[in-house]
Amino acid sequence: MSWQARLLNAWLRLTEKPFLSRAANPAVLRASFEVKAALFFRAPWGTKSVRRDLAGLPALWLSRSQTPDTPLLLYFHGGAHVFGSPRTMRGTVAALAKRAGIRAVLPRYPLAPEAPFPAAIDHCMASYRALLDEGVDPAHIIVGGDSAGGNLALALLGQLCVEGAALPAGVFALSPLTDMTFSGASIQRNAAKDVVLPTARLAETAQAYLGDHAPVDPRASPLFADFTGVPPVWLCAGDTEILLDDTLRMADHLKAQGVAVDLHVVPDLPHVWPMFHNLLPEARATLDELAAWIGARLSSDRSE
């Protein structure tokens, strides 16, 4: 564990976790995260950002002089389905896309509580279909997301499987939320260890997102989805996260259905640590590993 990670963990425990424990107003959460992203999560030099609608809502398109034929990452940002935006993960996604030599698009999906379930997953599905309608080969698409965005990426994959739709080349999720019944043992076991997420707020944010919908709906909790026949999935989580078991059980669920899973569990790193790529050597190493996996997936699909 690097000295940078030790300092970051201490800072997050002292500042971010107490803030998330008490901030109840979505507008406050959203404004705070936007400011922090602008200060700390900057994109690599040379990243080109273009705002263009996708499926009827704004989206942020990132590239580095690639052509329209360059493979594409469809990425869904995190934020408990309540806050976050394409801008908050722009830096991380741009750093990953640069490593993988691909372009990326981050949709601005509807947020709760103003737009509760299933508005977000419906828009994610619409975004994927819109890319296909624009002529993007599904074999040239990687789908990914972090936290609640990882939830959406996996839920999208499950829904595509149910519909028998064209599947992407692969899917990845960083510290994903996969079970909105919150039955994983790490929810309580890691409550004190997690330096970011407060266990006490889970039920509240889930209610804001789900409303009266059942948490076992596979579109809300991909842990209960059918993934038979889907492409490989890459997952990561920190061993002190309250959502650790969401990742571990998701990996087991996928493997039981014959899905190739690349699972990475790292010690003592915070929730969605790759977003700290400008600070942490561990974050840069994770992005390097993920970029190599993406490259292998896209090369495999081109050769098939």
Side-chain angles (χ1 to χ4, degrees):
M1 185 181 184
S2 68
W3 64 266
Q4 296 98 320
R6 291 189 180 92
L7 287 178
L8 177 63
N9 281 345
W11 178 75
L12 291 171
R13 184 181 295 281
L14 181 65
T15 62
E16 194 66 15
K17 190 170 184 177
F19 171 71
L20 292 176
S21 296
R22 64 176 183 268
N25 188 329
V28 172
L29 286 166
R30 293 167 189 170
S32 173
F33 204 32
E34 293 291 335
V35 170
K36 292 166 187 171
L39 290 174
F40 301 115
F41 309 142
R42 297 187 178 180
W45 182 260
T47 300
K48 296 181 179 179
S49 300
V50 176
R51 288 174 174 78
R52 175 168 66 85
D53 283 3
L54 180 66
L57 287 178
L60 187 62
W61 300 75
L62 307 178
S63 67
R64 297 179 65 85
S65 302
Q66 294 105 330
T67 70
D69 294 330
T70 302
L72 179 68
L73 166 59
L74 173 62
Y75 191 92
F76 307 121
H77 68 81
H81 300 106
V82 171
F83 61 98
S85 75
R87 288 191 304 272
T88 60
M89 289 303 289
R90 173 182 178 270
T92 304
V93 174
L96 175 60
K98 178 183 177 181
R99 285 166 165 80
I102 60 177
R103 56 199 177 107
V105 59
L106 296 85
R108 181 181 288 276
Y109 60 82
L111 297 176
E114 297 91 340
F117 179 86
I121 184 61
D122 284 349
H123 183 67
C124 293
M125 289 289 297
S127 297
Y128 181 80
R129 295 190 187 102
L131 292 177
L132 302 189
D133 290 343
E134 290 182 9
V136 181
D137 185 344
H140 292 175
I141 297 175
I142 297 289
V143 177
D146 65 281
S147 195
N151 168 284
L152 293 169
L154 292 166
L156 180 146
L157 182 60
Q159 191 63 21
L160 292 175
C161 185
V162 168
E163 296 180 3
L167 298 172
V171 172
F172 69 87
L174 314 176
S175 302
L177 167 64
T178 67
D179 175 16
M180 297 201 74
T181 71
F182 304 119
S183 61
S186 62
I187 296 289
Q188 299 302 325
R189 185 182 67 245
N190 285 346
K193 297 177 183 178
D194 195 312
V195 298
V196 177
L197 298 182
T199 298
R201 298 300 298 276
L202 292 177
E204 178 185 344
T205 55
Q207 175 62 31
Y209 177 56
L210 289 176
D212 295 330
H213 287 272
V216 294
D217 187 323
R219 297 174 300 161
S221 295
L223 184 62
F224 305 112
D226 180 3
F227 292 99
T228 304
V230 304
V233 174
W234 191 99
L235 300 170
C236 73
D239 69 350
T240 56
E241 293 194 57
I242 61 174
L243 296 181
L244 171 61
D245 283 357
D246 280 48
T247 294
L248 297 180
R249 292 184 299 152
M250 189 77 238
D252 288 343
H253 179 66
L254 289 163
K255 290 176 182 177
Q257 297 183 357
V259 181
V261 178
D262 201 329
L263 173 64
H264 298 256
V265 177
V266 299
D268 299 320
L269 289 180
H271 184 60
V272 195
W273 70 91
M275 74 169 61
F276 298 101
H277 60 94
N278 289 325
L279 302 172
L280 297 183
E282 294 93 339
R284 294 188 288 275
T286 298
L287 290 179
D288 288 342
E289 292 171 358
L290 177 52
W293 179 85
I294 290 172
R297 285 306 311 141
L298 293 171
S299 296
S300 172
D301 278 298
R302 285 176 185 148
S303 63
E304 291 174 357

